[in-house]
Amino acid sequence: SARVDGLIFGASGRISDAWMIYANYTHLVSEVLQGVSDTDVAAGLDYSRGERLTNTPENSLGLWTTYDLNRAWQFGYGANYLGKVWLNQHSSNYQDGPLSTAPGYWVHRAMAAWTPNRSLRLQLNVNNLFDKEYYSRPRNNGWSTPGEARSATLTASYFF
C-alpha cells in the first residue's frame, strides 16, 4: 500500500483588460507504506517501506498566458514543468545502493488566433514549441515513452 499527500495551488487572473494569466503548482509527497505481503513484513523483508513511489514527481508546474493585441488578434504562451521522478525502489534483489531518477523537464507551447469577424476564428496551436526531447513514463530498465515532438494544429471555426 502507499500514500500520496500533496498540495495544489492554482491562480488565474486578469493583469489588464487584454492580458490573462493562469498558473498552477503541485507538490506531492509519496510514500510506500507496505511493499510486500504481511508474511514478508514479519520476516523483515519490506525493503521499499518509506521510499517514494516510482513515476510520482514531487513538483510540477503549469503556466499559461494570453494577450489580446486587439479585437482580431490573440496570442498565448505556456510552459509545463514535470519534476524528477524515481525509477526504482529497494527490493529483495536490490537491498542497498542508490536509487535511479529521471530528470525533470520543461515543455513550451504557443498559440495565435485571428478573429476577423463574429463568424470566423482561425487558431494555430504549437505544442513542444522548441522541439525538446524528453521522455515520459520512464522505467528503471531503460525503457520509456518518447515525449511528443513539436506539433502544430490549425483550427478554423465558423459560427452562424
Side-chain angles (χ1 to χ4, degrees):
S1 64
R3 177 179 56 228
V4 179
D5 294 320
L7 296 170
I8 300 173
F9 297 103
S12 64
R14 187 174 292 279
I15 305 297
S16 70
D17 287 342
W19 187 14
M20 290 287 296
I21 190 164
Y22 311 88
N24 61 65
Y25 169 74
T26 303
H27 179 75
L28 301 175
V29 177
S30 64
E31 179 183 10
V32 174
L33 300 176
Q34 182 175 328
V36 294
S37 69
D38 290 342
T39 303
D40 288 340
V41 168
L45 301 175
D46 194 355
Y47 300 106
S48 64
R49 180 182 168 97
E51 294 183 354
R52 294 176 177 98
L53 293 175
T54 58
N55 278 314
T56 305
E58 280 188 32
N59 299 295
S60 59
L61 175 70
L63 300 168
W64 179 254
T65 186
T66 59
Y67 186 80
D68 298 331
L69 187 61
N70 53 41
R71 292 186 124 174
W73 287 97
Q74 182 183 57
F75 297 94
Y77 170 79
N80 289 333
Y81 172 75
L82 185 72
K84 76 175 178 179
V85 295
W86 277 259
L87 301 178
N88 62 338
Q89 297 167 333
H90 290 108
S91 66
S92 60
N93 295 330
Y94 186 69
Q95 297 174 19
D96 297 313
L99 297 176
S100 301
T101 60
Y105 58 86
W106 286 91
V107 178
H108 301 264
R109 56 199 168 114
M111 64 80 71
W114 178 54
T115 309
N117 57 52
R118 294 172 63 177
S119 298
L120 179 64
R121 179 179 173 92
L122 298 175
Q123 183 169 323
L124 176 66
N125 288 73
V126 180
N127 291 318
N128 197 357
L129 183 64
F130 303 116
D131 205 20
K132 166 83 173 170
E133 183 177 293
Y134 67 97
Y135 298 91
S136 63
R137 298 184 304 185
R139 293 175 279 190
N140 68 340
N141 62 3
W143 290 94
S144 61
T145 303
E148 183 180 339
R150 180 174 37 227
S151 64
T153 304
L154 179 63
T155 304
S157 300
Y158 184 75
F159 306 96
F160 55 94

